[in-house]
Amino acid sequence: MAGVLAQQPGPSVWFPRASGGTIGKAAVTPNEVDPLVVRVQKGDRAAFQQLFARHRGDVARLVYRMLGGSVDLDDVVQEVFLQVHRSIGDFRGDSKLSTWLHRITVNVVLMTRRAARCRPVYSAEITDETPHLLPVDSGLAPDEDAHRRERVRAFQRCIEKLAEKKRTVFVLHELEGVTATEIAEIVGAPVLTVRTRLFYARKELCELMREEPTLAAFAARFASAKEGDTTEPVRSVGEETS
Amino acid sequence: MTSSNDIPPSTPSGSQGPPGSPGEARALRILIEQLRDEPTPPLDFDRIERSMMAQLDAERRLEQPRRVGVSRLVVAGVVTLAVAAGAMLLMREKGPLFSPSRGSMAQQLRSIDATSADQRVTHVGIGSWVAERGAKVRIVEESADRVVLALDEGSLIAEVIPKPIPDRFVVIAGHTRVAVRGTIFRVVREGDHVDVAVTRGVVAVGAEGATSGVSLVAPRSGTFDLEGKLRGETSVVVPTLSNPLLQGTDAAPTEVRTADPIDASASANTPADSSAQAKTESSSTVTSPRGSGSVPTKSAWLDEANLQAHHASIAADCFRREAHLPAGVNVTATTTLVVTFDANHRVSASSFRSPLAPAVEQCIQASISGEKGPVGTFETPLRLVTGD
């Protein structure tokens, strides 16, 4: 099933999914520095371009999931890799390359958000209404697909309302599939703290969903469904349209 | 099927209940999956890469000189460490730098050869010294709080800033070690002896590596052999033992090195050593006579070079005799003696910039009244000290 996280055997593979994936799928175990990284550390320009090509999609996805479409993703992704280039000399393989990349990405994203908060917002920059969800070939009817996109957008708004630390943990764990242990390493917090933040992120999201009519109706449809069934119930005619 | 790999979806640390109703929890899981399936907006990665590489190239160009500088610093640091390590090894092999062993002065940081002219060296925070013409001096140790010189030949005058740090300025001549903390002093090495004259402070003179020696308290001089042993007795030295190249001294800018010889019979501090007497003459390290006017001149009148030394000697003697201080009480007085010689080379006037005790002034003026000297007015800075 697309999007379902499943732990794969072997230390070098991270939760491969039909879509998305995580940063550093080809990561080696800690203390075994990727030869490509070694070349980059030696100043190999081509190696860095190769590293960029290998991880740019994963970095862009994480940036997008953490920031939404409200910023210029190009600039943020570029800043992430600039930071990677500046800091890669310090990478000693103590952690996975993926964890290290996550940490840099999260830091750049947080800096971007903080900078954006300090920046005056002009009317032309109000991006809350900017459509940024792309059409996905979900195999649904056009109206169903429109509903799905609307739900996802509403859900994104809920995530945006989470506090920064909770949102970071939620995105890393639920959307990127990063383990609590690695999140703890990325955000520099104890594992227990990561778990607690994740719990309250979910709890707050449930509360926020109640405030979003689209999501509240969507949740109500599951209330009568059989527990454990995560498949989306068939929507009755007229539901969510009134 | 679960939406997380190691964290229960609805409990913090597995200790609390679900965050929402079962319907909300299931809806949340589906929404997460749907959001996860959302594709990232297409980015122009080629443009990002071009922009990024251009920026990195620019940063590299900017950093190039700095990296070179850093690498040079690193190389310099490594060289310094290597030299220091080598020096430590050498010292370990040869023992302490100033051990009694004769080969202990193998270290040499810099040589000062004052063959043609005086050479002045300043050690910031410690003091200055002048290698007088003809002197050969090696700086064998130099740090922020310690300087060790080896006087191989000739003479040097040093002024050391007073600080309570033992042996912060050391001069070694042969195996005679002259250690000071803060003073103005002169060391002359000639032949088989070393003359040490102190005009301010205290100097300890002894054999290299020895724990005891002779303390010369200003104004005093002594002659020592090259093993640090005192020859004869110490004697009083005039407080003009300075060099104009030394800055910050309150002694007169007297040309002490090129003085006409003063009668050697007055320099009776080393009667057993004729060469020491000769040295005393040539270096104008005059000893104080026990009576005023007892420093005769060789020529009809005192020349300009000897005038200040002569007057300082008279003043020191008068001050010591006329101060009449209780035993154990030492007093220092600073003034300037101004003497004018008329066209007949006789003293027409004399005065003191800062007044001394009337008895002392009268003694000095009486002593110089019959002198003959070059026409003009001459000033002699005086620093007068009672006691030994």
Side-chain angles (χ1 to χ4, degrees):
Chain A
M1 176 185 292
V4 174
L5 288 170
Q7 178 72 58
Q8 298 296 313
S12 63
V13 180
W14 271 35
F15 321 115
R17 296 185 297 264
S19 64
T22 57
I23 294 174
K25 287 176 187 174
V28 295
T29 54
N31 295 320
E32 291 180 22
V33 180
D34 189 335
L36 182 64
V37 173
V38 175
R39 286 172 53 205
V40 176
Q41 288 175 329
K42 291 178 179 175
D44 188 332
R45 179 186 169 97
F48 180 67
Q49 290 174 305
Q50 202 175 331
L51 188 78
F52 172 74
R54 183 186 291 180
H55 298 288
R56 64 189 185 186
D58 298 331
V59 168
R61 188 186 61 255
L62 177 58
V63 170
Y64 170 65
R65 286 174 172 171
M66 291 190 70
L67 289 175
S70 59
V71 295
D72 189 345
L73 296 179
D74 291 19
D75 288 347
V76 181
V77 171
Q78 177 177 323
E79 183 58 29
V80 169
F81 279 97
L82 285 172
Q83 290 294 337
V84 166
H85 188 273
R86 290 168 188 148
S87 308
I88 201 160
D90 300 327
F91 181 70
R92 295 284 177 267
D94 297 331
S95 61
K96 291 179 183 176
L97 177 63
S98 56
T99 305
W100 187 72
L101 283 172
H102 271 122
R103 188 186 305 153
I104 289 178
T105 306
V106 167
N107 287 337
V108 171
V109 165
L110 295 180
M111 283 192 297
T112 302
R113 291 182 70 95
R114 286 166 192 159
R117 277 200 294 270
C118 299
R119 192 162 44 109
V121 177
Y122 301 101
S123 56
E125 284 189 70
I126 297 173
T127 56
D128 193 46
E129 300 301 320
T130 306
H132 53 268
L133 288 178
L134 299 172
V136 177
D137 184 11
S138 58
L140 299 173
D143 61 332
E144 279 291 330
D145 189 53
H147 284 303
R148 188 199 62 79
R149 288 168 56 189
E150 177 58 30
R151 280 199 304 272
V152 171
R153 189 171 172 183
F155 188 51
Q156 281 185 320
R157 285 197 298 271
C158 293
I159 293 174
E160 283 292 306
K161 291 176 183 174
L162 290 175
E164 192 172 270
K165 291 178 180 177
K166 293 175 194 166
R167 185 177 59 250
T168 299
V169 170
F170 183 84
V171 169
L172 285 172
H173 183 71
E174 298 290 10
L175 302 181
E176 290 293 311
V178 182
T179 65
T181 307
E182 286 169 322
I183 294 173
E185 196 174 340
I186 291 167
V187 301
V191 176
L192 187 62
T193 302
V194 170
R195 292 172 184 273
T196 303
R197 286 179 189 169
L198 185 60
F199 170 81
Y200 285 105
R202 290 169 178 153
K203 186 180 179 184
E204 285 180 29
L205 279 173
C206 288
E207 293 167 358
L208 290 167
M209 284 165 61
R210 291 172 205 146
E211 299 170 6
E212 283 275 350
T214 307
L215 299 180
F218 183 66
R221 285 158 50 193
F222 285 97
S224 57
K226 192 177 179 180
E227 192 167 349
D229 183 7
T230 57
T231 56
E232 188 173 350
V234 177
R235 184 169 57 89
S236 59
V237 176
E239 189 181 358
E240 294 183 4
T241 57
S242 58
Chain B
M1 192 178 295
T2 176
S3 61
S4 66
N5 48 34
D6 66 342
I7 303 177
S10 57
T11 60
S13 308
S15 61
Q16 295 184 22
S21 67
E24 287 173 334
R26 288 163 61 195
L28 182 62
R29 266 176 271 162
I30 290 177
L31 287 168
I32 289 171
E33 289 173 10
Q34 291 182 343
L35 182 57
R36 199 183 293 147
D37 290 339
E38 284 295 318
T40 307
L43 302 179
D44 187 349
F45 286 120
D46 289 340
R47 189 191 67 79
I48 294 173
E49 183 177 348
R50 283 196 302 274
S51 173
M52 181 176 63
M53 298 311 290
Q55 186 165 341
L56 288 176
D57 288 342
E59 287 180 5
R60 193 175 294 117
R61 280 194 297 273
L62 282 175
E63 285 191 0
Q64 203 72 28
R66 195 172 63 190
R67 285 181 179 173
V68 170
V70 169
S71 64
R72 282 179 182 165
L73 281 177
V74 169
V75 169
V78 169
V79 169
T80 304
L81 285 175
V83 169
M88 289 180 68
L89 281 173
L90 196 58
M91 287 181 68
R92 187 174 294 178
E93 288 176 0
K94 298 203 172 192
L97 192 61
F98 301 112
S99 70
S101 64
R102 305 224 168 217
S104 61
M105 287 200 301
Q107 305 294 314
Q108 177 179 330
L109 298 178
R110 188 162 36 135
S111 289
I112 305 297
D113 191 346
T115 304
S116 56
D118 291 356
Q119 297 285 327
R120 180 174 179 271
V121 178
T122 298
H123 304 274
V124 177
I126 295 182
S128 302
W129 56 275
V130 174
E132 297 183 289
R133 190 163 60 195
K136 290 183 179 176
V137 186
R138 288 176 292 126
I139 303 174
V140 293
E141 185 180 339
E142 185 178 22
S143 66
D145 54 7
R146 181 177 161 90
V147 169
V148 178
L149 307 177
L151 177 61
D152 294 331
E153 191 178 323
S155 60
L156 68 82
I157 298 176
E159 180 180 17
V160 181
I161 300 169
K163 275 187 182 176
I165 301 173
D167 296 352
R168 58 198 300 267
F169 194 95
V170 175
V171 178
I172 296 176
H175 289 274
T176 298
R177 185 173 188 268
V178 183
V180 301
R181 291 186 181 181
T183 185
I184 298 174
F185 73 109
R186 185 183 196 204
V187 182
V188 181
R189 175 176 177 171
E190 186 173 332
D192 62 348
H193 67 276
V194 178
D195 293 333
V196 181
V198 189
T199 55
R200 186 194 300 170
V202 182
V203 168
V205 186
E208 187 185 357
T211 56
S212 62
V214 174
S215 290
L216 291 177
V217 181
R220 184 137 313 250
S221 66
T223 298
F224 301 80
D225 63 22
L226 295 180
E227 300 298 326
K229 186 178 178 182
L230 178 65
R231 289 181 176 177
E233 296 179 350
T234 61
S235 55
V236 175
V237 64
V238 296
T240 55
L241 191 62
S242 183
N243 186 298
L245 291 176
L246 281 175
Q247 294 179 351
T249 66
D250 57 3
T254 306
E255 183 59 58
V256 296
R257 185 173 41 74
T258 58
D260 282 345
I262 295 174
D263 192 342
S265 63
S267 312
N269 56 327
T270 55
D273 190 343
S274 59
S275 63
Q277 288 181 1
K279 184 62 225 167
T280 303
E281 291 173 3
S282 64
S283 62
S284 80
T285 307
V286 294
T287 54
S288 175
R290 298 308 299 173
S292 60
S294 59
V295 182
T297 59
K298 190 173 184 178
S299 56
W301 60 77
L302 291 168
D303 65 12
E304 194 171 337
N306 278 330
L307 194 63
Q308 287 178 311
H310 175 63
H311 286 171
S313 173
I314 292 172
D317 187 62
C318 285
F319 188 67
R320 193 166 293 106
R321 285 191 293 119
E322 303 296 336
H324 301 302
L325 295 169
V329 176
N330 291 334
V331 172
T332 301
T334 304
T335 186
T336 300
L337 170 62
V338 182
V339 179
T340 303
F341 292 91
D342 60 17
N344 297 321
H345 301 286
R346 296 188 180 277
V347 175
S348 59
S350 64
S351 62
F352 300 87
R353 288 272 170 79
S354 300
L356 298 172
V360 177
E361 288 189 354
Q362 289 170 10
C363 172
I364 296 171
Q365 288 171 331
S367 299
I368 64 175
S369 60
E371 287 181 353
K372 289 186 177 181
V375 178
T377 300
F378 301 91
E379 296 184 357
T380 303
L382 300 174
R383 185 173 181 274
L384 306 172
V385 182
T386 60
D388 293 334

